[in-house]
Amino acid sequence: MAGDIAKQVAVPYAEAMLSIATGQDAVDKFGEDARGILAVLEQTPELSSFLASPLATAEQKKALITQAFGDSIHPMVTNVLMILADRRRIVFLEQVCEHYLTLQRKLQKIALAEVTSVSPLNDNQKQAVVDRVKRLTGSIGVELKESIDSDLIGGVIIRVGSQVIDASLRGQLRRLAFQLS
């Protein structure tokens, strides 16, 4: 339920950002800014807490946004953040940025591949994953989102949308156990 509300609020702002970015020929710059904002929010949970606080005024939140991001983000992205603060929607900043990135990937025909492995992938392994995802999806590009799971024993699990490619040893052992039973 809360996710539905967040999505209902985030979608129009993300779509507006994409429209502005397209008009400014800055789709990639807005995407970089959205990734940067998400990284800052992830690294500093205090910032997210302050922005979500009903006790902080819109002016205090706008001052903190200016202090945190300053000139490092496109002025139009800053304007969107200020509008979110003024309209008491800044609590949905993470969802707005994530949805913008989803829209950007769709516009540019880029697939998001979530790759889980036992250790970080080297460049050859990353390229093999990218090639496989391109063949699977027919996309022009691939964005990798890597995570580590020591329980896999070896291999990788690749998620692209609702599709899952389980090439892990854990998955192979599970399939073997199922066949034997």
Side-chain angles (χ1 to χ4, degrees):
M1 176 93 159
D4 291 340
I5 293 170
K7 186 174 181 180
Q8 288 176 356
V9 172
V11 168
Y13 287 100
E15 288 172 347
M17 277 181 63
L18 184 64
S19 177
I20 294 166
T22 304
Q24 299 269 325
D25 196 27
V27 172
D28 290 332
K29 173 62 176 146
F30 277 39
E32 290 171 19
D33 291 348
R35 283 182 188 84
I37 291 167
L38 289 170
V40 169
L41 291 174
E42 184 178 325
Q43 294 168 2
T44 54
E46 306 84 28
L47 176 62
S48 297
S49 296
F50 182 80
L51 293 176
S53 172
L55 301 176
T57 66
E59 293 307 316
Q60 291 171 323
K61 292 177 184 182
K62 288 164 62 173
L64 184 60
I65 290 167
T66 302
Q67 182 182 354
F69 301 111
D71 293 334
S72 66
I73 61 176
H74 193 283
M76 295 303 284
V77 174
T78 302
N79 287 348
V80 171
L81 300 183
M82 297 304 164
I83 290 169
L84 287 169
D86 283 338
R87 295 186 179 168
R88 299 174 194 239
R89 301 285 194 247
I90 197 69
V91 69
F92 301 110
L93 178 58
E94 183 176 344
Q95 291 88 349
V96 170
C97 290
E98 287 173 353
H99 194 70
Y100 176 83
L101 292 173
T102 300
L103 293 172
Q104 179 190 11
R105 284 189 291 270
K106 187 175 182 181
L107 175 72
Q108 297 175 334
K109 294 183 171 83
I110 297 173
L112 175 63
E114 298 175 25
V115 181
T116 306
S117 60
V118 72
S119 61
L121 301 177
N122 64 35
D123 291 339
N124 290 337
Q125 292 167 325
K126 288 180 185 178
Q127 189 58 48
V129 169
V130 166
D131 292 342
R132 185 160 183 183
V133 170
K134 280 183 178 180
R135 282 193 313 271
L136 181 70
T137 62
S139 60
I140 294 172
V142 176
E143 181 180 327
L144 293 180
K145 183 177 180 183
E146 296 182 71
S147 61
I148 305 298
D149 182 356
S150 58
D151 292 339
L152 287 181
I153 306 170
V156 296
I157 298 174
I158 305 169
R159 287 181 182 82
V160 181
S162 61
Q163 295 179 317
V164 177
I165 302 167
D166 189 348
S168 68
L169 288 178
R170 183 179 67 187
Q172 291 173 13
L173 290 172
R174 189 176 30 231
R175 286 189 293 276
L176 181 62
F178 179 73
Q179 289 174 352
L180 292 174
S181 62

